[in-house]
Amino acid sequence: NEEIVKILKEKIPENSLARLVFEKEEEKTLIEKHLYRYTRRNTTDYFIHKDLKGFLEKELDFYIKNEFLNLEDLKVLEESGYFDKLRLYLIGVRAFRNIALKIIEFLAQIENFQKKIWEKKKFVIDTHYVITLDKIKEYAEEEFLESILDEILKNEKQLEEWKELFGIEIKSKNDLIEKNTLQGKEWKKLPIDTKYFDEEFKWKLLVALTKENDMDEILDGVLIKSENWHGLNLLLGKFKEKAKCIYTDPPYNTGSDEFLYKDNYQHSCWLTMMENRLKLAKELMRLDGVIYVSIDDNERYHLEKLMSNIFGENNLIGPIIVQVNKGGRDYLPIAKQQEYVVCCTLNRQTELVREREISEFKYEDLKGKFLPRELRNRNPKFTRENRPNLYYPFFVNPNNKDRYGFRAVSLQKTDYHTIKVLPKNVKGEDSCWRWGKEKVLKYLDPNNPENCEIVARQKKDGGWNIYEKYRGSPEKSRSLWLDSKFRTENGSIQLRNLLGKHIYDFPKPVDLIEELCSYSTTRSEIVIDFFAGSGTTAHAVMKLNKEDGGKRKFILVEMADYFDTVIIPRIKKVAYSFNWKEGRPQDTDGIGFFFKYHTLEQYEDALENIEFEQPQKTLYELTDYFVKYMLEWETKGSKTFLNIDEMKDPFNYKLKIIKNYQQKIVNVDLVETFNYLIGLNVSRYEVLQENGRKYVFVFGDKDGKRIAVVWRSIKDIDFEKDREVIEVKLKESEPDEIYINGEALVKRFRHIEPLFKSLMFEEVE
Ligand SMILES: C[S@@+](CC[C@H](N)C(=O)[O-])C[C@H]1O[C@@H](n2cnc3c(N)ncnc32)[C@H](O)[C@@H]1O
């Protein structure tokens, strides 16, 4: 790439517009950014053979049988008595095989080494938190919020971000207050992002927020910037069988260039990519969970086959057919209008149902809102003949009607109830009702249509229909979604209104994902999306929560830079308001928010961090050293494989990472990495400055056990004093298990390092 840039610099004349590509954006020039992205996209190959040795050995035998062992030749040699030649022949084959096996062994060493790097759980590189002011007040009290206001108001980057996102200039404390009410101050839903602050501020905030609250309970979302296989693999420790709904929208593999990421795999490669990720997704699903995958005709068939293999044939309950384009794509042989959402469950009992939103109902009576639903059974399978008990007359009182024209009914003919109505289909033939007389009787008030659950209304042709007043019971999803709100164009319009410019191609409409979530979650469950794109799933979950007062949480994984440029700003904006035009909020009706986001070490980063050490000379004398063991042995001290010695100073554990297209050396977040590895439900953080160093205590639980994790540097430590600091703190919470890094004099604790290492390299199925 450097070479290309050099040549371009020579070739592009000064004063030419094209020289704009050499303008710097952050640390790299535009052309460098694009070159980096292009080479990464076209050189990264995520396909590592799971058992290269076994595969090549089988291929070798096949090759030897086909190419070497010509049975005719062997027979002739044997029959002609040329046993020496026969022996030579066989020695040749054996020699070839032995050499080939060594080569296979060597190749397998390399492939297995790559597999180990791919499968190892990745480090959390950094963790930041975003919380709106109103939520700080809610969780950490106003006094704490007031105590950090000066620091916030001095933070230019934070103020600048608010200006950019919301178009408001904040100069003083008063600018942060939405309004003063009788209940006290109402703070603006402006988000603080800890990336603009130092570590000390971050810890202070976390400690304050978790003093009275459980951390994982108050967090509304988690975002992970990572290749999704690694993201899901790390999440498994904590979120196994926790997701109620997974929505995901993978690249459709259409090869179209509009995508910046790789979108032109062979069917088989695309399927392998999907298979690996869907298998992890399945492990994350609750038994009553649902997974939705958006797709078009290009891969639908393959995807359905794959999903029925993974989730079970009977659990493939989809697809939902969505009309995404009213006019259809005219350039195709058939102008296609639809895409699909393939749906799978983990068992046949799970259905796509939801409580119908009662506020949508237009009609109202003494008991509240309702929708009239015909009582006649429209299923032609049920008839007067096979359901005689469902065939009986109603009698309508035509003179007693409510404001909508509904009349009360009775099962008896009376002086008032004079009109007889029988269940008849449109052709006037006998059919039957849905309810029997006994059930109907419980719901009748023949003299008051306002209080009668079964009512009649006259049709235009003079005949009568009988209705049940439907007051909201479970509603099942239909398979055809034709509403205009699901059309693709809406996704783009919504996102452009929110961000004020076009940055992301083809986001899904918020309503589509909101609707899917409404059928598969109730109020406080977890929704995961691991091809998050512009973060529509987060937006949809927030909107649904706003509408039904739910507390659903989301976890999103995305590897591209949209993570920082679209998803995070999007959530910050939606938390402030749901209503945007040209990038500016139209009200302040958001719900406020608290989420955290991580960047994970990537496969390429792990490769970069491999360091070779000189082995002892004697190893060279072992016959198989180079062929089988060299890579494993000489790289074992690499930090990406966890260097235990370096963990003595855990807040300074460093890795080389590619960030903003440049390699940087950064501190790794061992605390969060370990939390994920052991699957800790974090409830509280405490941070102390004692014994000349920082102590971080994490409290939480796992499998019903109360757990405490303690981190501090043990460089030049006074272990006696250290014991005191730790024991005093732990006494308050009496954990069942205690994990501490490095040595300690504390009673009955477990060392973090060996567990960290074994969990990091746990076999993936
Ligand atoms: C079709 S888009 C998703 C759009 C999203 N539903 C929305 O509404 O914005 C697919 C996204 O997956 C991301 N992606 C592709 N392969 C990935 C991988 N292996 N890991 C993580 N993200 C990936 C791409 O960067 C892209 O943003």
Side-chain angles (χ1 to χ4, degrees), residues 124-185:
V124 176
I125 300 299
D126 51 28
T127 307
H128 289 297
Y129 296 80
V130 173
I131 183 162
T132 47
L133 298 177
D134 58 312
K135 291 283 167 187
I136 301 183
K137 172 179 167 177
E138 184 180 339
Y139 300 138
E141 303 291 331
E142 198 147 69
E143 211 177 303
F144 172 77
L145 175 58
E146 301 257 7
S147 78
I148 56 170
L149 285 186
D150 280 342
E151 213 169 329
I152 296 172
L153 289 168
K154 267 193 233 134
N155 192 318
E156 303 230 331
K157 284 194 176 146
Q158 183 63 80
L159 301 188
E160 222 167 87
E161 187 190 76
W162 287 344
K163 197 167 154 197
E164 196 184 313
L165 293 179
F166 310 105
I168 47 178
E169 233 166 296
I170 300 289
K171 294 214 171 77
S172 70
K173 191 182 138 183
N174 277 343
D175 299 335
L176 299 171
I177 297 168
E178 181 75 34
K179 57 179 177 250
N180 284 298
T181 68
L182 283 179
Q183 287 78 40
K185 296 185 193 94

Side-chain angles (χ1 to χ4, degrees), residues 67-82:
E67 301 293 326
F68 274 78
L69 298 179
N70 186 327
L71 285 182
E72 275 308 308
D73 288 355
L74 292 177
K75 210 167 126 207
V76 172
L77 287 177
E78 192 194 11
E79 282 170 4
S80 322
Y82 291 132

Side-chain angles (χ1 to χ4, degrees), residues 618-634:
T618 47
L619 284 174
Y620 293 153
E621 284 149 30
L622 294 176
T623 18
D624 277 341
Y625 177 72
F626 282 112
V627 176
K628 281 192 192 165
Y629 306 113
M630 179 190 73
L631 280 176
E632 186 82 22
W633 185 259
E634 293 182 17

Side-chain angles (χ1 to χ4, degrees), residues 322-380:
V322 188
Q323 183 177 349
V324 294
N325 181 333
K326 180 86 190 302
R329 298 195 174 103
D330 256 343
Y331 53 88
L332 296 172
I334 287 183
K336 277 200 185 139
Q337 297 166 284
Q338 86 278 17
E339 282 185 8
Y340 309 92
V341 178
V342 179
C343 316
C344 273
T345 58
L346 290 183
N347 66 67
R348 212 50 231 259
Q349 279 77 50
T350 309
E351 300 184 322
L352 296 193
V353 285
R354 67 173 176 194
E355 290 293 319
R356 196 73 197 266
E357 194 50 59
I358 298 172
S359 58
E360 287 172 14
F361 297 174
K362 283 199 215 116
Y363 301 88
E364 200 163 1
D365 66 5
L366 292 177
K367 292 188 194 153
K369 297 211 170 205
F370 69 90
L371 267 190
R373 242 194 199 175
E374 259 202 81
L375 195 69
R376 191 174 69 77
N377 199 330
R378 300 167 77 140
N379 186 343

Side-chain angles (χ1 to χ4, degrees), residues 396-401 407 415-416 418-419 464:
V396 182
N397 176 350
N399 299 318
N400 183 3
K401 59 180 178 186
R407 270 78 165 187
D415 288 349
Y416 305 102
T418 52
I419 299 171
W464 291 84

Side-chain angles (χ1 to χ4, degrees), residues 46 226-229 247-252 259 261-262 265 273 277 495 504-509 513 529-537 557-560 562 570:
Y46 293 121
S226 169
E227 203 292 322
N228 50 14
W229 194 88
Y247 168 78
T248 211
D249 176 18
Y252 285 3
F259 293 110
Y261 46 84
K262 202 162 176 162
Y265 298 107
M273 188 274 291
R277 281 141 191 91
L495 194 59
Y504 191 89
D505 290 326
F506 307 122
K508 285 279 178 282
I513 305 180
D529 181 349
F530 54 90
F531 285 103
S534 66
T536 313
T537 300
V557 188
E558 167 64 50
M559 69 178 180
Y562 312 122
R570 183 175 194 176

Side-chain angles (χ1 to χ4, degrees), residues 380-405:
K381 272 196 197 155
F382 299 98
T383 60
R384 178 178 179 181
E385 284 69 38
N386 63 19
R387 292 287 186 283
N389 58 325
L390 296 180
Y391 184 85
Y392 53 88
F394 280 100
F395 295 92
V396 182
N397 176 350
N399 299 318
N400 183 3
K401 59 180 178 186
D402 70 4
R403 64 194 121 150
Y404 312 107

